[in-house]
Amino acid sequence: MPTKRKPQHKKRLTSPVRHKRPGLFVRFLQKLMQHTPGWAWWIGGGLIVAAYVFFFYYIFVGPFGFRWRALYGDASYPEGFEIHGIDISHHQGRIDWAELKDNGMIDKYPVRFVYIKATEGASIIDENFHDNFYQAREYGFTRGAYHFYSVYSPAKAQAEYFIKNVKLENGDLPPVLDVEHKPKKQTDEEFKNSVLEWLEIVEKHYHVKPIIYTYYKFKLKYLSDSVFDSYPYWIAHYYVEQVEYEGPWKFWQHTDNGRLAGIKGTVDFNIYNGSFYDLRKLTIGAREQIGEDAYQDE
């Protein structure tokens, strides 16, 4: 009889599965789930949804969304305005004025006016001011100049420095005082008097009311006295569909991230609150150019 062979067991080709102990974080979650009531999970889920909604609003709808769309081409412009302009300084570099004139459009409207930084404090002149100021007029834009108010120099010295460097002509827009900071060593009353001193010196020289440029909250806090009501107001309020300031205003700087043909990088976009004829009436020498009777007509 043939000898019976014992059955041979095949060798295991793979190692046996070893169940590893869950990590610390996983064990924490397991215990958390075991000891957390169901209503807490509902609250947690609601908070997550709320956070998602807030994130969506902030990125696509809120102020950041306005900034994002302005920066990447899908800009949302305030409705109901036809007279658009820009303000520039050396930060815009060398401008292709011919390209800006021929193809510079804001919300399908041509650029009508250009405000140019002239001076800052009592000793700084913008390096591109004279060229920008000359080119703006040569290419047919209604131009203007602005001064950036410094907290380190007396108002009188700043006004005199602006006058020394800026030669405004008939057809130019009124000078602008860009004031965004209050000196820490000045009281609110002293600061108001300093701003008023600059305005009065400049008005006396150019025979036109200067324009006050500032953020609306700054104006409400420091420049809301009735003595400033006679000066045209240029409001800086970004990424909103309408101005929250309830008082009268002439200009509105609504974004600092505009893009235009002829300008590399970004530029501030502005709106004039009125018609082009109204804008021309605001310029120096308007009475002589369009006649006293026409100037008085509203």
Side-chain angles (χ1 to χ4, degrees), residues 206-219:
Y206 295 107
H207 306 291
V208 65
K209 287 277 186 186
I211 296 170
I212 299 174
Y213 164 98
T214 192
Y215 299 93
Y216 83 104
K217 290 184 178 180
F218 189 91
K219 187 178 191 304

Side-chain angles (χ1 to χ4, degrees), residues 59-78:
I59 294 297
F60 298 103
V61 181
F64 184 88
F66 274 87
R67 183 183 179 90
W68 179 274
R69 291 192 296 273
L71 186 60
Y72 293 100
D74 186 21
S76 177
Y77 303 100

Side-chain angles (χ1 to χ4, degrees), residues 258-273:
R259 291 189 177 274
L260 276 176
I263 298 179
K264 297 179 180 179
T266 60
V267 65
D268 299 335
F269 281 178
N270 300 273
I271 283 168
Y272 177 71
N273 191 17

Side-chain angles (χ1 to χ4, degrees), residues 159-280:
E160 291 173 345
Y161 188 70
F162 179 83
I163 291 170
K164 176 184 176 181
N165 288 282
V166 180
K167 312 303 178 185
L168 296 177
E169 303 175 13
N170 284 348
D172 291 339
L173 289 165
V176 171
L177 177 62
D178 177 349
V179 54
E180 304 175 27
H181 305 284
K182 184 185 83 69
K184 294 180 179 179
K185 294 182 180 180
Q186 282 188 336
T187 65
D188 290 359
E189 194 64 28
E190 289 172 338
F191 174 63
K192 292 174 185 177
N193 290 334
S194 294
V195 171
L196 191 61
E197 183 179 18
W198 191 99
L199 295 170
E200 290 176 342
I201 292 173
V202 171
E203 180 180 357
K204 183 178 180 181
H205 178 80
Y206 295 107
H207 306 291
V208 65
K209 287 277 186 186
I211 296 170
I212 299 174
Y213 164 98
T214 192
Y215 299 93
Y216 83 104
K217 290 184 178 180
F218 189 91
K219 187 178 191 304
L220 292 175
K221 186 174 182 178
Y222 297 113
L223 305 175
S224 59
D225 290 10
S226 59
V227 69
F228 298 109
D229 290 347
S230 61
Y231 296 95
Y233 178 36
W234 180 358
I235 181 173
H237 196 186
Y238 301 158
Y239 321 128
V240 292
E241 293 180 336
Q242 61 184 11
V243 172
E244 293 181 16
Y245 179 72
E246 296 181 355
W249 55 272
K250 287 291 186 182
F251 296 89
W252 173 15
Q253 187 184 81
H254 58 91
T255 182
D256 60 350
N257 273 301
R259 291 189 177 274
L260 276 176
I263 298 179
K264 297 179 180 179
T266 60
V267 65
D268 299 335
F269 281 178
N270 300 273
I271 283 168
Y272 177 71
N273 191 17
S275 66
F276 185 65
Y277 179 70
D278 294 330
L279 179 70
R280 296 301 303 168

